């Protein structure tokens, strides 16, 4: 995959937005320049069944109108039904090899927490790695141990060149450190979904990432 897509990755579902209405938040974030979007419909108030499919369709079509790829978290069947641009799976979401087969030609992201998991994900065909948690966050309930951006340095030192995005507790003050450690970008939930103005929050985050990548 084009690693530029990972510069500013918004991950979001209904429960991450104060209003419970993620569409206006997504629209605002798209205006601010997010480069990739992940539909992660989990937690309190999460939609299911037809409601979830309808919301996913609406969010995918918003993303498409901005040329931003639409990735589905965990739910392989939903990603296939929607003909999404890809799927993101964790270590407990089934076999990476099987998912790779079912998503030939599409983006496959895998969450990893250490060098061994990164090696395995690369070997089994992941297109990019989500490495976290970079910092403590209340947004995810089953959070792994926080190892900080150093784990990205370790993964790079081990010779893994796959595109990497850091996730977990990242805000505009921390985004640069994550990229300096070897990530190609940052994935955020609350820094954009809870911001008063998601457009401005996205612009500021993108600026911090591109500053380190020497794009601005
Ligand atoms: N995955 P926020 S941390 C979805 O460590 C997710 O793999 C993580 O939310 C991991 O940007 C996380 O609000 C939550 O901290 C990120």
């Amino acid at each position: 995959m084009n690693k530029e897509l990972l510069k500013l990755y918004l991950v979001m579902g209904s429960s991450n937005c104060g209003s419970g209405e993620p569409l206006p938040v997504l629209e605002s974030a798209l205006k601010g320049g997010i480069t990739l979007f992940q539909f992660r419909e989990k937690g309190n108030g999460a939609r299911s069944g037809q409601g979830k499919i309808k919301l996913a369709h609406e969010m995918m079509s918003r993303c498409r109108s901005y040329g931003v790829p639409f990735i589905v978290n965990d739910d392989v069947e939903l990603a296939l039904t929607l003909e999404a641009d890809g799927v993101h799976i964790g270590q407990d979401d089934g076999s990476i090899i099987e998912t790779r087969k079912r998503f030939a030609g599409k983006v496959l992201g895998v969450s990893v927490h250490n060098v061994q998991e990164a090696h395995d994900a690369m070997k089994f065909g992941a297109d990019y790695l989500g490495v976290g948690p970079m910092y403590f966050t209340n947004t995810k309930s089953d959070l792994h141990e926080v190892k900080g951006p150093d784990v990205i340095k370790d993964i790079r030192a081990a010779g893994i060149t796959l595109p990497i995005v850091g996730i977990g507790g990242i805000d505009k003050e921390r985004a640069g450190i994550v990229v300096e450690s070897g990530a190609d970008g940052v994935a955020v939930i609350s820094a954009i979904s809870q911001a008063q103005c998601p457009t401005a929050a996205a612009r500021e985050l993108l600026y911090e990432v591109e500053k380190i990548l020497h794009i601005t």
Side-chain angles (χ1 to χ4, degrees):
M1 80 179 286
N2 174 5
K3 64 183 184 184
E4 298 252 309
L5 291 175
L6 292 179
K7 283 191 296 187
L8 183 54
Y9 192 178
L10 174 62
V11 177
M12 193 173 73
S14 316
S15 66
N16 304 123
C17 307
S19 61
E21 282 302 329
L23 276 168
V25 179
L26 174 60
E27 181 84 41
S28 177
L30 286 162
K31 285 192 183 123
I34 60 164
T35 51
L36 193 61
F37 177 73
Q38 183 186 121
F39 179 67
R40 184 176 180 273
E41 189 62 10
K42 281 190 172 175
N44 277 349
R47 300 179 202 190
S48 57
Q50 284 306 313
K52 182 177 175 183
I53 295 172
K54 181 169 178 284
L55 177 64
H57 258 299
E58 287 168 344
M59 296 183 90
M60 188 167 79
S61 69
R62 294 289 162 99
C63 287
R64 295 249 156 106
S65 66
Y66 283 80
V68 168
F70 180 90
I71 308 294
V72 174
N73 179 273
D74 289 0
D75 193 336
V76 173
E77 298 309 323
L78 176 65
L80 290 168
T81 306
L82 289 173
E83 297 186 12
D85 301 297
V87 70
H88 183 98
I89 58 170
Q91 292 293 314
D92 305 323
D93 297 325
S95 148
I96 301 173
I97 298 174
E98 278 309 307
T99 312
R100 174 71 288 168
K101 279 191 206 146
R102 299 184 74 188
F103 281 86
K106 303 228 175 186
V107 174
L108 172 61
V110 177
S111 293
V112 304
H113 312 93
N114 53 51
V115 174
Q116 186 58 52
E117 289 176 359
H119 260 303
D120 290 346
M122 182 171 71
K123 188 167 74 188
F124 299 144
D127 293 305
Y128 76 86
L129 307 174
V131 184
M134 293 289 100
Y135 301 96
F136 177 76
T137 178
N138 280 315
T139 311
K140 185 171 157 73
S141 51
D142 50 344
L143 200 68
H144 276 71
E145 182 193 346
V146 177
K147 293 193 186 140
D150 279 355
V151 71
I152 297 180
K153 288 188 187 162
D154 294 344
I155 291 171
R156 290 301 188 212
I160 293 167
T161 54
L162 270 189
I164 287 179
V165 71
I167 187 164
I170 300 174
D171 57 17
K172 67 175 193 266
E173 279 74 34
R174 290 165 162 172
I177 303 167
V178 173
V179 177
E180 264 170 357
S181 302
D184 298 289
V186 295
V188 303
I189 298 182
S190 52
I192 290 180
S193 71
Q194 300 286 326
Q196 237 176 23
C197 175
T199 304
R203 277 198 192 121
E204 287 169 4
L205 280 157
L206 192 59
Y207 175 78
E208 295 302 327
V209 169
E210 292 188 332
K211 200 162 75 181
I212 305 300
L213 295 174
H214 303 296
I215 293 172
T216 51

